[in-house]
Amino acid sequence: MAEVILMPRLSDTMTEGVIAAWHKRVGDTVQKGDLLAEIETDKATMELESYQDGVLLHIGTPDGGKLQVNDLLAIFGKPGEDITELVKVHGSGAIAPIPTAASAAPAPVEPTAPATASIPSEKIAAVDIAAMDEVVLMPRLSDTMTEGVIASWQKNVGDAVKKGEVLADIETDKATMELESYKDGILLYQGAKAGEKILVNDLLCIIGKEGLDVAAIVAAVKAGSGASAPAETPAAPSAIAPVAPVVAAAPVVEQAVVNSGRIFASPLAKRIAAEKGIDLKYVKGSGDNGRITKIDIDQYTPAAAPAASTAPAAQSVAPVVSNAVAGQVSFTDVPVSQMRKVIAKRLSESLFTAPHFYLTMQIDMDAAIAARTKINEVASVKVSFNDLVVKATAMALKKHPKINSSWMGDFIRYNDHINIGVAVAVDEGLLVPVVRFADGKSLSQIGAEVKDFAQRAKDKKLQPSDWEGSTFTISNLGMFGIDQFTAIINPPDACILAVGGISQEPVVKNGQVVPGNIMKLTLSCDHRVVDGATGSAFLQTLKQLLEEPVRMLV
């Protein structure tokens, strides 16, 4: 009997998947464990293996098509088996034909193609977007991403593209990520230039064969999205905006080219180099396989220009002085990055929708300082005070599960697992990688994990799975000399702990005023979920653990 395969949910936030590539076709014999298809989710492109034997009788959508979770993905059965009823029940009611080479190759376009708005409506309607494996839409590269900025194109219109090659660097709200092509072909169209924004699922580019009717596809995509198609000609190789020529003040000393062909560099290094006008072919990389990093850009010194220069050249350089004249109004407008936009949106929503209240407590850190010194004598990884706070917080959450909760609108979710988000500052804003099941990890394990997260956050190598799923958040500014502060809750968590620095203050012990090492903690609570007494009890437990670290070993 024929078996129906539905689109699986391959991540916790996945609602739909795009078929990056089918590895089996209708009529192929499939065995259990065979690679069936590659599915692009909101997190990554993942391989889907068959979990049964049979013949592939039907596929729900061709390469490049989208399916909602639990939509009909495929049907397995015996050769010649009637699957009409199954398709009607689970699918659209018609068996999707496999596109042929003839149907996938529309009429070629003349060099002077008309504007997309002039394409006849009947021609637009005849184009099936779901069947176009040439169309590449802007993927959702993180769980909170709604739009992406093209940091740079690695391929230009007219370039040949192979599967696995980097098409573009996409700046999301979390990081700048490399987007790889999942098919071979020629880049025929770019949906935006470098520095421009594209909404998720909007047309990013078109990859196909020479002669493909790009104008019809662009018009059909815009018509399908409900947006009025502006009267503009789709980008062609000759329509790419030329880079503004750099006017040299004087002849410069010729530099040695150290990179040829494709240049490997981190997205951050590429962006800084573009801002500084540095050509990466002259920069020697210090990373793996000669990859250029931010440090290489910062340390790069271009060849000096000859001492002799003409007077006109000196005059042309003079107006570029960046220091404003005294008394003159001067400012610089910097576009808001995707990361900063999402930080602003999420924290504004948190502060204005969740009624915050704050509880502050002083911690005597004398015993913790002594314990940390002893621990680091034998620990394989140096343990920081922040690691002690993470471990103590995880144990305190175990005793106070109401703090380890989330406001879900119609109900409150009390989490049995303890995943602690640790805020890490980067140049563009703030990332919160998650230490999962922190209550079951040792101080050395927590220390190693937090250090790895911090380094990968600064290198922009964190993946979406690293910053999702927190149940409680810690923000520590003590290393910056901050004594005390309040933090905004990181939704969907109900609380966040703000950690200040350790400072020496006079304290009373045994009736005597003596110097003490004091650290101040402030707990921000969502009053819809947590009450003052509940938050106070949590802080009391946390205080006991930090003031007597031996309790963490029990």
Side-chain angles (χ1 to χ4, degrees):
M1 181 178 178
E3 289 285 338
V4 171
I5 308 297
L6 303 181
M7 171 64 80
R9 187 183 300 275
L10 298 173
S11 75
D12 55 338
T13 56
M14 176 181 170
T15 58
E16 66 179 15
V18 175
I19 306 299
W22 281 102
H23 287 266
K24 298 292 183 180
R25 299 296 177 185
V26 171
D28 289 353
T29 300
V30 182
Q31 295 181 344
K32 184 177 180 181
D34 283 354
L35 179 58
L36 190 60
E38 294 178 32
I39 298 179
E40 180 185 329
T41 73
D42 57 331
K43 301 280 196 302
T45 299
M46 308 177 71
E47 294 181 343
L48 179 67
E49 295 182 354
S50 174
Y51 51 81
Q52 69 172 39
D53 299 334
V55 175
L56 184 57
L57 302 177
H58 175 78
I59 59 174
T61 186
D63 292 355
K66 294 181 195 172
L67 288 175
Q68 301 293 315
V69 171
N70 293 329
D71 276 359
L72 177 62
L73 177 64
I75 298 178
F76 285 91
K78 297 178 181 179
E81 192 169 354
D82 186 9
I83 59 171
T84 306
E85 290 301 320
L86 288 176
V87 175
K88 287 182 179 178
V89 172
H90 297 280
S92 60
I95 301 177
I98 305 301
T100 62
S103 62
V109 181
E110 296 297 327
T112 56
T116 55
S118 65
I119 303 294
S121 59
E122 55 271 17
K123 184 173 183 180
I124 295 176
V127 180
D128 182 8
I129 304 300
M132 295 180 190
D133 63 343
E134 296 88 358
V135 171
V136 179
L137 304 181
M138 171 63 80
R140 187 184 301 276
L141 299 173
S142 78
D143 57 326
T144 55
M145 176 181 172
T146 58
E147 64 182 14
V149 173
I150 307 297
S152 64
W153 282 101
Q154 300 300 323
K155 296 289 184 180
N156 296 319
V157 173
D159 289 352
V161 180
K162 293 183 179 180
K163 183 177 179 180
E165 289 187 335
V166 177
L167 274 177
D169 294 323
I170 308 293
E171 180 186 338
T172 73
D173 56 322
K174 304 289 189 187
T176 300
M177 307 176 73
E178 293 182 341
L179 179 67
E180 296 182 355
S181 174
Y182 54 79
K183 64 168 295 179
D184 299 335
I186 296 174
L187 183 58
L188 302 174
Y189 175 84
Q190 294 174 340
K193 299 176 183 177
E196 294 182 348
K197 303 172 189 173
I198 299 185
L199 295 176
V200 170
N201 291 330
D202 274 4
L203 179 61
L204 177 62
C205 63
I206 297 175
I207 299 174
K209 298 179 180 179
E210 291 184 359
L212 185 68
D213 193 346
V214 174
I217 294 178
V218 173
V221 170
K222 291 181 178 180
S225 64
S228 58
E232 60 182 10
T233 304
S238 60
I240 299 176
V243 178
V246 178
V247 180
V252 297
V253 177
E254 185 176 353
Q255 303 180 61
V257 176
V258 295
N259 299 308
S260 59
R262 184 184 169 193
I263 299 174
F264 293 90
S266 70
L268 180 59
K270 292 176 182 177
R271 181 161 49 176
I272 295 175
E275 292 171 355
K276 293 183 176 181
I278 297 174
D279 192 336
L280 293 178
K281 68 182 180 181
Y282 300 119
V283 182
K284 183 174 179 60
S286 61
D288 295 340
N289 299 318
R291 188 177 179 88
I292 300 171
T293 65
K294 177 180 180 294
I295 295 176
D296 300 321
I297 299 297
D298 292 339
Q299 296 178 348
Y300 171 73
T301 303
S309 60
T310 61
Q315 292 175 358
S316 66
V317 174
V320 191
V321 176
S322 60
N323 295 331
V325 178
Q328 178 179 342
V329 176
S330 178
F331 56 86
T332 303
D333 293 330
V334 179
V336 179
S337 67
Q338 295 299 102
M339 182 184 294
R340 181 56 61 186
K341 278 185 181 179
V342 172
I343 290 174
K345 180 176 182 291
R346 285 172 60 84
L347 294 187
S348 296
E349 290 174 352
S350 173
L351 186 61
F352 298 139
T353 59
H356 286 51
F357 73 92
Y358 310 97
L359 301 170
T360 301
M361 184 171 283
Q362 290 191 163
I363 310 295
D364 183 348
M365 294 294 287
D366 285 347
I369 292 172
R372 176 175 175 265
T373 302
K374 293 292 185 182
I375 290 170
N376 282 333
E377 290 177 358
V378 296
S380 58
V381 177
K382 187 176 180 181
V383 174
S384 67
F385 289 112
N386 190 66
D387 300 333
L388 290 171
V389 173
V390 172
K391 178 65 176 177
T393 299
M395 297 182 69
L397 289 172
K398 201 73 174 175
K399 293 186 178 182
H400 301 277
K402 288 186 178 179
I403 302 294
N404 194 44
S405 57
S406 302
W407 175 262
M408 306 301 291
D410 296 332
F411 59 91
I412 298 173
R413 173 171 294 164
Y414 296 104
N415 298 293
D416 298 324
H417 60 288
I418 296 174
N419 291 348
I420 296 183
V422 181
V424 176
V426 294
D427 292 342
E428 292 80 9
L430 198 67
L431 291 174
V432 188
V434 179
V435 179
R436 303 183 188 281
F437 311 110
D439 54 316
K441 293 182 177 178
S442 67
L443 284 168
S444 296
Q445 289 173 316
I446 291 173
E449 196 167 331
V450 171
K451 287 179 177 62
D452 177 60
F453 279 144
Q455 186 59 50
R456 288 199 287 137
K458 291 173 182 176
D459 294 341
K460 291 193 171 183
K461 292 182 179 179
L462 286 177
Q463 298 300 310
S465 57
D466 294 327
W467 60 66
E468 297 168 353
S470 69
T471 60
F472 187 91
T473 305
I474 295 175
S475 180
N476 190 342
L477 293 179
M479 67 285 292
F480 298 107
I482 302 300
D483 293 328
Q484 179 184 348
F485 69 102
T486 58
I488 300 175
I489 295 168
N490 179 36
D493 302 350
C495 299
I496 185 172
L497 184 69
V499 182
I502 300 174
S503 58
Q504 282 202 328
E505 299 180 11
V507 297
V508 178
K509 291 185 178 180
N510 301 321
Q512 300 292 323
V513 177
V514 295
N517 293 287
I518 300 299
M519 181 175 71
K520 294 180 181 178
L521 304 178
T522 300
L523 183 69
S524 304
C525 305
D526 184 345
H527 218 326
R528 298 172 299 180
V529 183
V530 177
D531 296 324
T534 306
S536 300
F538 166 78
L539 283 179
Q540 288 174 350
T541 300
L542 184 57
K543 178 182 176 73
Q544 292 171 358
L545 290 168
L546 289 173
E547 291 186 344
E548 299 180 67
V550 71
R551 291 172 177 263
M552 294 190 222
L553 305 176
V554 178

